[in-house]
Amino acid sequence: MTSAPEWWRGAAIYQIYPRSFADSNGDGIGDLRGIAQRLDHVASLGVEAAWISPFYASPMADFGYDISDYCAVDPIFGTLEEFDAVIARARELGLKIIVDQVYAHTSDRHAWFAESRQSRDNPHAEWYVWADPREDGTPPNNWQSIFGGPAWRWDARRGQYYMHNFLAEQPQLNCHNPQVQDALLAVAKFWLDRGVSGFRIDALNHSMHDPLLRDNPAAPADGKLRTRPYDFQIQRYNQSHPDILPFIKRLQALIASYPDTYSLAEVGGLNAGSEMKAFTQGPARLNSAYGFDFLYAENLTPSRIAAAQDFWPDEPGMGWPSWAFENHDAPRAVSRWCAAEHRDAFARMKAMLLLSLRGNPILFQGEELGLEQDEVPFERLQDPEAIANWPLTLSRDGVRTPLPWKAQDEHGGFTAGRPWLPLSEANLARAIDRQEADPASLLHLTRHLVHLRRDNAALRRGTCEVLLADETRLVLRRKANDGSVLALFNIGASDAAWPDGVSATGTVLAAVNDTVPGTLPAWGAIWLREEAESPNGEDA
């Protein structure tokens, strides 16, 4: 008798961005009570977990990713008791809740940093990355921050610089320090004890630096526009130190000591692929990782998808990937990847594609509605990076606009007040209530596809073989035990020929855009079951 697979292996996950999900008190900002009230929508999709982005106490310099108290809820989002209510409601609905953990940095308002900056010999003195200036008073090395300018800020109280890979308001934690690691593990335990089922770990490869503070090498020109000093360097020494791996083992040991948990790392940068594999290799490390294969990709091509799938073969010790086409930092995929006149058809094909990949598909709120990237005028911008680099940096605000619940409502049923970001008429027209009333909507399709995938062993956790990836056509075979599913796609605006050598027989599990066996119309997609399975979708 074999043990049942882990619940998370192949499970679909839905990302909730709290500020923009549902506002229960009319202040224009989404909150935990709003999440609890609207969580039935998430459960109805068939996803097995909801990942909630930061709701912790924060000055909101980076909208929650600058944490001033890891174990407190920011008042704009509610209270710890209201978070407990989210957990309780999720359990009623059969959902697991995953929350963010941010270990690379805190807010400069955190009590740890407030003490650390006072002197060089206090209890928290070595909890952050401090360094003396060079002889001429300039920063200790050439590291640059992601949000622009040097990765160092002078502090006269210590007569030293502190490091920040992101905003100056986000001082870098010294995760080399065992005391810091212990404190972060205590934070993780606090939330596990509160009932969460795991974590999405933000910018994990930024959590440790080179203690020798060596200069980063210059990056060769690649023809792309450089809008930040950061773009002129190879980030070799300010991140990705090998000591991250022993910390990961400590963290995973804690997480795995709780039943039915899941750990997911966010990994970015030039070496993201190899780092994701290292972070997830073997049972002692994290369960899964995702990077930016698609999140900032300028286009969606069969070769890009094939390369991503081939990079994660089904081999002993190999980690388990996760995939996202859009999130709170990346523009809406339908706006990036196709012309406006094709977006409806493209969104249907894209939904099938994401749910065909081997790994964990992560849907960002509103993706099930086909929301496009909103244009936020400069005077309404909130994103600090976009404001600093306007107009050359694409604002993250365009993907963070409120989720529209009601089409015939000024603010989409998101709030009774003035929303923190404006919502476009185009996205209001895609509101949940309107799509619920339309059996042919993307919302109903997404719900149907997620449930199909959840009940089909091959699509959920089977192997993935790339049979074809040419200019516009992609053919995948997902296989588990004796059952297999062919997934065929035409990622193009013109009809394409059915691939030679690919059978057009089998049971059609799902199809979009008038696709039938033997034809691949524009933006066509189809799932064909090749071999018989038992009625519940598991292998016979």
Side-chain angles (χ1 to χ4, degrees):
M1 180 177 180
T2 58
S3 61
E6 305 97 331
W7 69 266
W8 53 263
R9 195 172 290 275
I13 298 168
Y14 187 92
Q15 182 190 355
I16 293 174
Y17 190 68
R19 293 184 72 91
S20 300
F21 187 72
D23 172 24
S24 70
N25 62 6
D27 66 356
I29 296 173
D31 47 47
L32 292 172
R33 186 182 300 168
I35 292 174
Q37 292 171 349
R38 296 287 197 174
L39 206 53
D40 56 336
H41 168 72
V42 179
S44 76
L45 296 174
V47 300
E48 290 172 73
W51 150 32
I52 304 178
S53 294
F55 50 85
Y56 312 113
S58 169
M60 300 295 163
D62 192 25
F63 295 99
Y65 285 93
D66 52 318
I67 298 172
S68 57
D69 188 338
Y70 283 106
C71 298
V73 172
D74 195 277
I76 66 169
F77 296 124
T79 65
L80 275 172
E81 290 71 27
E82 286 170 331
F83 177 79
D84 293 340
V86 171
I87 294 289
R89 181 59 180 148
R91 285 175 176 161
E92 292 173 359
L93 294 168
L95 278 174
K96 292 179 168 59
I97 296 294
I98 297 162
V99 299
D100 260 295
Q101 295 283 272
V102 183
Y103 295 153
H105 49 254
T106 70
S107 165
D108 61 354
R109 308 283 184 87
H110 198 292
W112 298 345
F113 188 72
E115 183 172 28
S116 184
R117 73 192 316 177
Q118 294 304 317
S119 67
R120 301 189 187 192
D121 58 1
N122 64 74
H124 289 97
E126 303 301 323
W127 282 44
Y128 292 83
V129 182
W130 294 94
D132 292 329
R134 296 177 182 177
E135 290 185 1
D136 61 358
T138 55
N141 61 27
N142 70 348
W143 298 349
Q144 299 293 310
S145 73
I146 291 174
F147 289 157
W152 298 96
R153 169 66 66 90
W154 174 255
D155 192 294
R157 278 157 284 201
R158 284 185 54 137
Q160 288 183 306
Y161 285 94
Y162 68 85
M163 177 187 168
H164 58 92
N165 267 319
F166 296 87
L167 293 174
E169 292 86 357
Q170 295 169 297
Q172 183 80 16
L173 277 168
N174 179 16
C175 286
H176 292 281
N177 185 335
Q179 291 180 306
V180 173
Q181 293 187 21
D182 291 345
L184 295 175
L185 293 177
V187 169
K189 186 177 188 305
F190 175 88
W191 292 106
L192 289 164
D193 287 341
R194 206 124 200 143
V196 305
S197 294
F199 304 113
R200 177 262 191 190
I201 306 160
D202 182 70
L204 181 56
N205 59 334
H206 283 88
S207 60
M208 292 191 200
H209 65 293
D210 171 32
L212 299 178
L213 304 183
R214 287 172 282 190
D215 281 348
N216 279 331
D222 59 5
K224 295 181 180 179
L225 179 66
R226 294 171 169 178
T227 62
R228 308 164 299 177
Y230 181 87
D231 301 328
F232 289 80
Q233 294 183 358
I234 297 172
Q235 283 74 43
R236 181 171 297 166
Y237 295 117
N238 61 306
Q239 64 181 67
S240 306
H241 193 275
D243 285 350
I244 295 173
L245 292 177
F247 173 60
I248 283 175
K249 290 182 179 180
R250 295 190 66 196
L251 176 62
Q252 182 61 24
L254 172 65
I255 297 171
S257 69
Y258 290 75
D260 297 327
T261 48
Y262 170 67
S263 54
L264 170 67
E266 179 203 38
V267 183
L270 297 177
N271 298 314
S274 60
E275 290 184 72
M276 284 190 288
K277 283 184 175 179
F279 290 179
T280 59
Q281 187 175 37
R285 298 181 187 175
L286 302 176
N287 298 136
S288 189
Y290 81 96
F292 296 83
D293 303 74
F294 302 110
L295 288 173
Y296 292 119
E298 296 177 356
N299 52 30
L300 182 68
T301 64
S303 60
R304 186 185 300 278
I305 298 155
Q309 292 297 279
D310 289 342
F311 191 76
W312 291 93
D314 184 20
E315 296 176 351
M318 179 67 64
W320 185 258
S322 291
W323 308 105
F325 285 169
E326 55 193 57
N327 73 3
H328 63 286
D329 283 334
R332 293 286 183 185
V334 294
S335 298
R336 270 185 291 140
W337 288 341
C338 77
E341 62 268 25
H342 300 306
R343 283 178 184 167
D344 289 344
F346 177 86
R348 291 191 287 271
M349 181 277 298
K350 178 181 73 71
M352 282 194 72
L353 178 58
L354 177 62
L355 294 166
S356 300
L357 304 182
R358 177 180 175 271
N360 289 103
I362 304 173
L363 288 80
F364 182 62
Q365 63 183 46
E367 194 168 0
E368 75 275 21
L369 307 176
L371 297 189
E372 62 186 52
Q373 184 80 356
D374 274 329
E375 293 292 332
V376 179
F378 181 79
E379 62 272 14
R380 292 293 305 273
L381 282 180
Q382 305 287 331
D383 178 10
E385 182 183 12
I387 293 170
N389 296 307
W390 176 267
L392 295 178
T393 295
L394 181 64
S395 168
R396 295 176 296 175
D397 291 338
V399 74
R400 297 176 176 182
T401 53
L403 189 64
W405 296 92
K406 298 178 182 179
Q408 301 302 318
D409 184 282
E410 181 184 6
H411 303 312
F414 163 73
T415 181
R418 184 176 189 261
W420 77 290
L421 285 173
L423 186 62
S424 67
E425 291 296 327
N427 282 338
L428 270 174
R430 298 182 175 92
I432 290 170
D433 67 338
R434 183 168 290 179
Q435 296 205 29
E436 287 286 11
D438 178 7
S441 69
L442 179 65
L443 172 57
H444 281 287
L445 173 67
T446 302
R447 189 177 286 142
H448 176 61
L449 294 175
V450 173
H451 278 90
L452 271 177
R453 186 184 192 278
R454 180 171 180 165
D455 294 333
N456 186 285
L459 288 170
R460 181 186 173 108
R461 51 183 175 268
T463 60
C464 184
E465 179 184 4
V466 179
L467 301 182
L468 174 68
D470 63 15
E471 186 174 351
T472 64
R473 297 176 300 176
L474 175 72
V475 182
L476 306 176
R477 174 178 280 129
R478 302 296 313 278
K479 186 173 184 179
N481 298 330
D482 296 327
S484 60
V485 174
L486 284 176
L488 294 90
F489 303 90
N490 176 12
I491 309 176
S494 302
D495 295 352
W498 189 267
D500 293 337
V502 176
S503 174
T505 62
T507 303
V508 177
L509 298 180
V512 298
N513 299 328
D514 300 319
T515 307
V516 295
T519 71
L520 272 182
W523 312 116
I526 190 169
W527 286 344
L528 282 174
R529 186 170 61 200
E530 293 188 290
E531 299 179 44
E533 294 179 333
S534 62
N536 67 1
E538 296 289 335
D539 296 328

